[in-house]
């Protein structure tokens, strides 16, 4: 037996609302003549007049692969001027693939088992960090759970959820930001499936390092005018530890321990967009998307519960918790082009918006790949 390597005591927002005359031409954002956006189909442009602007904007998009937040709202609005925005579903498939990387490395992960239930997966390399905590973890060499390397479990002395939570909290604090960056002091429940027994709670930032299933709520807030739909889109604060400056839903958040999806959505609506309960209570649950993404030692197995909320035209979001830098109201057609042609959106937001496009008829059965795209929205273990 060995002991832990350390001991821890005690266990400006800016809103912009597009007026009816500005929607479609974005004249306040573009110096050149307006371009009307009227459908999801491919839009043709005068190549000579916009080639330079398109090239410049594509250069910006290329730089985003290295620095995701290095774009402005002006860059976002430039996208509608690009000459070769695709009208097929290929750009959507690409975004789904970005959330489902690394399947070929699945065998590098060992099942994490609690009370005979697989609750997560831990990378072989990450076990080197956990080997310092032999009073917490033990590795059993068998193939009971389908891995030739055996499985990881907790020491039998850790019998209760409370004891396990405290032990894992100590582990995470000892490993610190160098091993598990972005620690938030927010606990996620550890279960084998949604609504099942909670075996313990784990720091949110550590969830992918232990491969536990994580759940969240994502809400599309939209406005309808003259038969056309527009989405409120947030640009994350540059101070956010994760995905700073990227585009996001009007409201989204992880599902912490001890709160229901509906309660969490109401809370997030107030904190992120200043939406009062009298409005947020009208949000409609519309299903879920899931994905499994492997990146180094991280194995994200996420399920996002999706909501749609039709907002009054007069409503203007106002961030309350400092996590959103600004909001814009964008036509669905522009949002579609952003998803197809850039990496401006936080990756998992793309999946939720693609689901919205299915529900509201912007993606049709006549589109080649319709059913495959629909099925791919639940590429992860949606349980």
């Amino acid at each position: 037996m060995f002991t832990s390597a350390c001991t821890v005591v005690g266990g400006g927002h800016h809103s912009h609302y597009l007026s009816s005359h500005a929607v479609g031409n974005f004249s306040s954002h573009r110096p050149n003549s307006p371009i009307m956006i009227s459908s999801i189909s491919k839009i043709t442009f005068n190549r000579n007049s916009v080639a330079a602007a398109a090239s410049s904007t594509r250069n910006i998009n290329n730089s985003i692969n290295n620095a995701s937040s290095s774009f402005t709202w002006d860059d976002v609005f430039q996208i509608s001027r690009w000459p070769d925005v695709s009208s097929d579903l290929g750009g959507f498939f690409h975004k789904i693939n970005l959330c489902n990387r690394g399947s070929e490395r699945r065998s590098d992960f060992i099942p994490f088992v609690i009370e005979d239930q697989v609750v997560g997966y831990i990378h072989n390399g990450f076990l080197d960090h956990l080997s310092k905590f032999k009073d917490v973890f033990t590795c059993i060499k068998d193939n009971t759970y389908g891995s030739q390397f055996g499985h990881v479990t907790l020491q039998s002395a850790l019998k209760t959820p409370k004891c396990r939570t405290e032990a894992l909290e100590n582990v995470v604090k000892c490993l610190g930001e160098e091993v598990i960056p972005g620690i938030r002091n927010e606990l996620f429940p550890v279960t084998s499936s949604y609504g099942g027994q909670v075996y313990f709670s784990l720091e949110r930032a550590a969830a992918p390092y232990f491969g536990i299933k994580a759940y969240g709520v994502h809400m599309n807030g939209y406005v309808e005018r003259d038969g056309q739909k527009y989405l409120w889109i947030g640009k994350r604060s540059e101070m956010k530890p994760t995905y700073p400056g990227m585009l996001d839903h009007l409201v989204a958040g992880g599902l912490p321990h001890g709160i229901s999806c509906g309660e969490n959505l109401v809370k997030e609506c107030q904190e992120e967009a200043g939406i009062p309960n009298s409005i947020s209570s009208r949000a409609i649950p519309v299903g879920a998307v899931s994905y499994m993404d492997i990146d180094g030692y991280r194995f994200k197995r996420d399920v996002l519960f999706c909501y749609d909320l039709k907002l009054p035209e007069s409503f203007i979001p106002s961030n309350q918790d400092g996590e959103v830098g600004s909001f814009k109201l964008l036509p669905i057609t522009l949002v579609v082009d952003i998803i197809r042609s850039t990496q401006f959106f936080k990756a998992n937001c793309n999946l939720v918006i693609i689901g919205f496009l299915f529900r509201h008829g912007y993606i049709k059965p006549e589109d080649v790949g319709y059913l495959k795209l629909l099925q791919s929205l639940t590429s992860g273990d949606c349980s």
Side-chain angles (χ1 to χ4, degrees):
M1 295 291 292
F2 61 88
T3 58
S4 304
C6 70
T7 301
V8 178
V9 178
H13 97 281
H14 170 70
S15 296
H16 178 78
Y17 186 83
L18 292 175
S19 63
S20 58
H21 68 275
V23 170
N25 65 37
F26 308 120
S27 57
S28 63
H29 296 275
R30 298 205 300 262
N32 300 327
S33 59
I35 299 172
M36 185 66 68
I37 300 177
S38 58
S39 73
I40 201 169
S41 301
K42 181 177 179 180
I43 303 167
T44 58
F45 299 85
N46 183 318
R47 293 177 182 269
N48 293 331
S49 65
V50 299
S55 175
S56 174
T57 311
R58 285 199 175 92
N59 288 336
I60 292 170
N61 186 41
N62 290 336
S63 72
I64 286 171
N65 294 326
N66 300 317
S68 295
S69 65
S70 58
F71 66 91
T72 68
W73 282 114
D74 284 339
D75 300 322
V76 171
F77 285 105
Q78 285 278 356
I79 293 165
S80 64
R81 302 175 62 206
W82 286 11
D84 292 315
V85 176
S86 173
S87 61
D88 62 24
L89 302 183
F92 298 143
F93 280 110
H94 175 63
K95 295 309 183 295
I96 289 171
N97 291 338
L98 287 177
C99 288
N100 291 278
R101 302 169 299 173
S103 60
E104 71 279 4
R105 298 191 295 276
R106 178 74 179 266
S107 62
D108 294 338
F109 290 78
I110 298 174
F112 182 26
V113 178
I114 306 294
E115 297 184 16
D116 298 324
Q117 295 294 317
V118 176
V119 298
Y121 296 89
I122 301 174
H123 193 279
N124 274 314
F126 193 71
L127 288 179
D128 292 340
H129 295 293
L130 302 186
S131 66
K132 305 171 186 177
F133 307 96
K134 290 183 181 176
D135 58 338
V136 178
F137 302 100
T138 184
C139 187
I140 299 175
K141 301 294 185 180
D142 65 13
N143 61 358
T144 303
Y145 298 95
S147 170
Q148 61 178 324
F149 302 107
H151 67 274
V152 181
T153 188
L154 298 180
Q155 290 289 356
S156 58
L158 301 172
K159 296 182 182 299
T160 67
K162 183 174 185 286
C163 290
R164 295 165 182 162
T165 298
E166 291 173 350
L168 269 294
E169 181 180 26
N170 182 61
V171 169
V172 171
K173 287 183 178 179
C174 288
L175 293 177
E177 289 281 339
E178 289 187 4
V179 177
I180 301 176
I183 293 175
R184 308 184 190 188
N185 298 312
E186 181 180 341
L187 295 177
F188 270 13
V190 176
T191 69
S192 59
S193 61
Y194 179 70
Q197 179 180 346
V198 177
Y199 297 104
F200 63 93
S201 296
L202 180 67
E203 158 64 36
R204 177 177 182 175
Y209 292 92
F210 290 87
I212 72 164
K213 293 184 69 94
Y215 301 89
V217 294
H218 279 232
M219 190 187 80
N220 294 294
Y222 70 99
V223 172
E224 191 166 10
R225 182 192 301 123
D226 299 327
Q228 300 296 319
K229 293 184 175 72
Y230 310 86
L231 280 176
W232 275 109
I233 300 298
K235 194 171 189 296
R236 295 163 68 89
S237 166
E238 298 289 349
M239 305 305 295
K240 286 277 289 182
T242 55
Y243 311 103
M246 298 193 74
L247 301 186
D248 207 333
H249 289 108
L250 177 60
V251 172
L255 185 63
H257 179 58
I259 186 172
S260 71
C261 285
E263 292 169 338
N264 194 43
L265 184 71
V266 169
K267 177 179 73 70
E268 294 288 349
C269 278
Q270 177 58 46
E271 293 175 355
E272 295 199 346
I275 304 174
N277 179 269
S278 59
I279 296 178
S280 62
S281 60
R282 304 174 195 164
I284 300 172
V286 290
V289 299
S290 63
Y291 56 94
M292 293 194 295
D293 183 67
I294 292 175
D295 179 19
Y297 290 166
R298 295 160 50 88
F299 189 175
K300 288 179 67 65
R301 299 194 302 140
D302 291 358
V303 176
L304 309 179
F305 294 100
C306 304
Y307 292 77
D308 288 348
L309 175 61
K310 185 177 180 180
L311 291 159
E313 288 189 38
S314 59
F315 175 78
I316 299 177
S318 174
N319 181 243
Q320 306 296 309
D321 60 9
E323 295 190 356
V324 182
S326 55
F327 295 100
K328 300 289 184 184
L329 184 64
L330 307 184
I332 289 290
T333 47
L334 177 56
V335 174
V336 167
D337 287 345
I338 296 168
I339 292 174
R340 281 174 166 157
S341 307
T342 78
Q343 295 188 43
F344 288 176
F345 271 104
K346 179 172 173 282
N348 60 6
C349 296
N350 292 310
L351 276 63
V352 179
I353 296 174
I354 291 170
F356 183 92
L357 300 178
F358 273 104
R359 288 189 298 278
H360 293 264
Y362 292 91
I363 299 176
K364 298 178 173 60
E366 292 78 13
D367 295 320
V368 176
Y370 178 91
L371 289 178
K372 184 178 179 181
L373 182 65
L374 184 63
Q375 291 172 336
S376 69
L377 293 177
T378 51
S379 296
D381 179 8
C382 201
S383 66

